[in-house]
Amino acid sequence: MGVQRVLVSAPAKVNLALRVGGPRPDGFHPLDTVFVALDIFDDVEVTAADELTCEITGLGEDLPTDETNLAMRAARALHARQRSEGPSGAHISITKRIPVAGGMAGGSADAAATLVALNKLWDLGLSDHQLSHIGADLGSDVPFALKGGIAHGQGRGEHLDEVPVLALHGWALITRSDGLSTPAVFREFDRLNPDAGEPASTADLREALSRGTLDDVAALAVNDLEPAAASLKPELGAMLSELRAGGLHALLSGSGPTIAVLAEPAQLPGLAADLAARYPACSVLTAYGPAAGAHVREAE
Ligand code: C5P
């Protein structure tokens, strides 16, 4: 009997820089971005079964577990890819820790973890490159959730190059229960930037990462979706201004509404406690990055 159970963890991400261009003919926006994987992981456990089923525990217990769930779509895509009549059933159990609809790629992490887990359970032998290719069709952030670390992303985020990293950074993540829809934020970006061309470059930031101090890196951190997210949720703009006025390195994470505050690792616990006291309506998480991409933790 082959493998019956596989447990895979996949990381959350923040974008240390997210530069956005005007929409392409396919509706997606060209990006120039620097992804950082954080050590907040969703776990996906797959067990051998005849049918394909899914359950979610932890955050997002009310998320759909039907065919619209990205993990289910990942399983279907993987099965469709097999030329011979391979297995198509599995029970997928997701333990969510990454905030839902928070701009931290939680859905993409689940899809990435499912691809890695089923590749092993179903003994498909697909390479990282092949999984990444299937993942890119599921969501722009799935290839990065597979890869982890720090990476330069281009295209719609799926073309990745590794960025050499010297330092471990701390992140305080101010999350809220009312999420933002990624397509809605991109639509608002289009409304605010009708003449957007190619995305700006993140070369300066990548250079700073390979040599600089945290202050150098933080000075170049930027997110072009911030005005759009703040336009849809004005309290976000107010919070970002307030945090920056207090000297903190605050940044919108992805399409929001999570606000990520960059900090020296030693300062992180104190900072997180201050932020939790200041914003009692929000939850404050802490994370360190870079962290590993989707990886097998147990297989039996
Ligand atoms: O690729 P993903 O499914 O995560 O994208 C969700 C939505 O976000 C897309 O349908 C699109 O509206 C928007 N998006 C975009 N440009 C990108 C990535 C996402 O317009 N580069």
Side-chain angles (χ1 to χ4, degrees), residues 27-31 70 108 136 138-141 155-157 182-184 186-187:
F28 281 92
H29 293 69
L31 306 179
L70 210 51
S108 297
L138 297 164
S140 308
D141 295 331
R156 56 186 173 86
T182 301
F186 275 104
R187 275 197 303 277

Side-chain angles (χ1 to χ4, degrees), residues 7-19:
L7 175 65
V8 174
S9 294
K13 62 89 188 166
V14 292
N15 302 78
L16 199 38
L18 180 55
R19 308 311 309 249

